[in-house]
Each structure stands twice: as C-alpha cells, then as structure tokens.
Amino acid sequence: MLAGKRILLIIGGGIAAYKTPDLIRRLRERGAEVTPVLTRAAEEFVTPLTIGAVAGVAPHRDLFDLTTEAEMGHIQLSRSADLIVVAPATADLMAKMAQGLANDLASTLLLATDTPVLIAPAMNVRMWNHPATQRNIATLKGDGVGFVGPEVGNMACGEHGPGRMSEPLGIVAAVEQALANGPLKGKHILVTSGPTHEPIDPVRYIANRSSGAQGTAIAAALAALGADVTFVTGPADVPPPAGVRVVAVQTAREMLEAVQAALPADAAVMAAAVADWRVASASDRKLKKTRDGMPALEFAENPDILAQVSQMATGRPGLVVGFAAETNDVVENATAKGKRKGCDWIMANDVSPVTGIMGGSENAVILISDAGAEEWERMGKVDVAKRLADRIAAALV
Ligand code: CTP
C-alpha cells in the first residue's frame, strides 16, 4: 500500500522512541522509503546506529552538518517527502511546531515545509492535559496537522491516562490513510458501535449481545477508503480498528454526548446496539441481598441517538445510516423504524437466534432507502462493511 512513498520520520526524544525501529520496519515492509531524522534528545533513547540499520540509510541528526547540507539541504529534505511523520511527538516538539520555532534540524524541517504532517504524540498524562499542551494541540489541528493517538493506558512513568504513543501498526494505518487517495478522502464520518452498559449499581449493569464486530468492520472499511473516522464505541468484544479516532463510552447518554461532540460530519453510521432503557436510579453503592432484599428495577428511556442526529435542524450529516435489528417482519418493521427516526438508509437484519448473526461473523442485510429494499446475500461482516463503505462513497461524491 505504501510502495514508492517517501516518508520523513522525525523521531522525538521520549521513551516511546523505542518503538520507532519497529515502526520503520513496518513502513518499509509495505514498500515505503523512510528517511529518519533524530533529535538530540531522541539519541538518548535510541541510537543512530539502530535507526540507520533498520532504515537502510543513516539518520539525519544535525542542522549544521556541512556534508549533508552540501548533498541535500534541509529545505530539500523536508520537501522531497510525501508525508512527514513525527513519532514520538513530545510535548516540547509539539510546542515548537505550534510556535513556529526552528532551532534544531527537526523543528527547522517542520517549519520549512508544506508537506502534510502526521504526529504521534507521547508524553506523561499531566503534560498532555496541561492547558499549554491543549492550546498547542488546537493550534496544530487548526494548521492541518494530522494526529494518531495518543492512546489511553499505563505509561513508562507509572501513571495511567492519555499519553501513550500509538502502536507501530496503528501509526502505519494512519500513514496509509493520510496517503490514501480513496474516494472518502477529506470526509468526516461518524460511526457508533458496540453495546452500551447501563449500570444497576457500581458492579452490575444491563447490556446486550452486540460484539461490535459489524461497527468495527464498517469503521475500518471507511478509513480504508480515506475517510477521517470518529469511532464512538461502547464496551465491545473486538478491539477498535487502527487508523480511526476512538471515543470509548459506557452508557447511551455518554454515547450521545460523544456523538454530539464529534459533529459535524459528512455522514453518520449508527451501528451501535444502544440500550433503549437505563435503570432510573442506579445505586451508587452495591445493592445488598441482606439489606435491600430483591431489587425492583425501574427504567427510564434513553435518548435515541439515531433519531436525534437524523432530526437535527442545523448541521445534520448529509447521510445518516441506521441499523434495525429485527426478529420478525424485517422489511416492514425496519422501514417503519427508518421513517420514525428520520434516517436516510436503514440496514435491516434478522437477529433471531437461529441466524447466529448477533455475535457471529456473518450478516444478512437488507439495505432500505428511498430506492426500496435491496437484499444482500449472506456474507462476512467485513464484506458487508466494504460494500456499505463503497455505497457511502458513491453517495457522498
Ligand atoms: N439507536 C440509537 N439510540 C437508541 C436506540 C437505537 O441510536 N437509544 C439506533 C441504533 O444504533 C440503530 C437503530 O437506532 O441504528 C435501531 O435500533 P433498534 O434498537 O433496532 O431500534 P429501537 O429504537 O430500539 O426499536 P425497537 O426496540 O422497537 O426495535
């Protein structure tokens, strides 16, 4: 997928630099030509010898290196790439980029270019959350810099939260997406996926059998066509796809909030199995058999995310796709559901237990639109996703 693509990889000085030899290897496996640049601080974490050996070329290290300046000046170096990747992008490097500083080779290259830039931030969670870094992030996004990660997780410093650099394969997926010339390039598409968990008390919840497999496959298929995907997911069984912006939620109300925050979008695909009801007054302490007896659960209705997005007065996505999981009178029920909620297309399927679709790897879908009901043969969820992504791409041109 990356054959012949030239990537200038700027390696910043953070502990996550230890992942960059693997990143280089993965990029080269896919045919990319990687020109590495090391900051001074990066050399404290990974040696020029290691980087040079995996990249197949010696890394650039110094702004005032007369030999390389004579062979290829820094201006030329930054312009000859198809994409500049900064990994790890430290808080310091991001601050320099946001300010337009140019006091070493890495920052000079980043200022002296109009080549697209993709950064993979990595830093301590407090540094990430600091208002100064958040300001820089907003500035960089406004300047058109692409982001992959950071991920939420345990960090080398022993803390937990957002700040971990994305894994090499996640960065590769983002690179492929940034360089893709797919039909959905430049389109922002929102995908909801997975079940929601509605708490009863701090340890118990109400859920459903959705695995998230279909929504995940759809997000991956859209990203593969070049879309910029925001993936809002409940607690799914399958991991989220690489190369998309992941927003993890638990409840229907959190999902609605995340969807609203992610808008505007060119299209929205609501594949989540959102719980229709939540427990009206979830207990904030564990219900006890001895103290509370048999609980009588009262329910309250959850917001209908699909209906709310479909019926937005302003800023409605151009195409809204809903799902209808039915067990009987599939076309009739799904058509009525689509009309009631106001979405443009509805992907209807029969989820009766005998079909094995809920939680299985296959799906049998009927696409209902103004053009009528179109029955797709039973196929793998990945193939359903690809066909839907192609249809969305055709509809959005
Ligand atoms: N949906 C949603 N928010 C909800 C419920 C459903 O966004 N609170 C979306 C789902 O993501 C899906 C579609 O609506 O795209 C259909 O969901 P489904 O559960 O089948 O429909 P219901 O509204 O629950 O209708 P019913 O229970 O009558 O089948």
Side-chain angles (χ1 to χ4, degrees), residues 270-272 274-276 303-306 322-326 337 340-341:
M270 306 300 207
V274 185
D276 290 322
D304 191 315
I305 304 165
L306 175 61
F323 275 72
E326 307 291 343
K337 190 175 285 181
R340 193 169 68 240
K341 299 198 185 202

Side-chain angles (χ1 to χ4, degrees), residues 27 41 76 84 103 184 207 227 235 271 296 326 362 368 373 375 391-392:
L27 290 167
Q76 175 66 18
I84 300 181
N103 57 2
L184 289 174
E326 307 291 343
E362 290 196 327
I368 298 169
E375 195 165 343
R391 297 296 287 266
I392 291 173

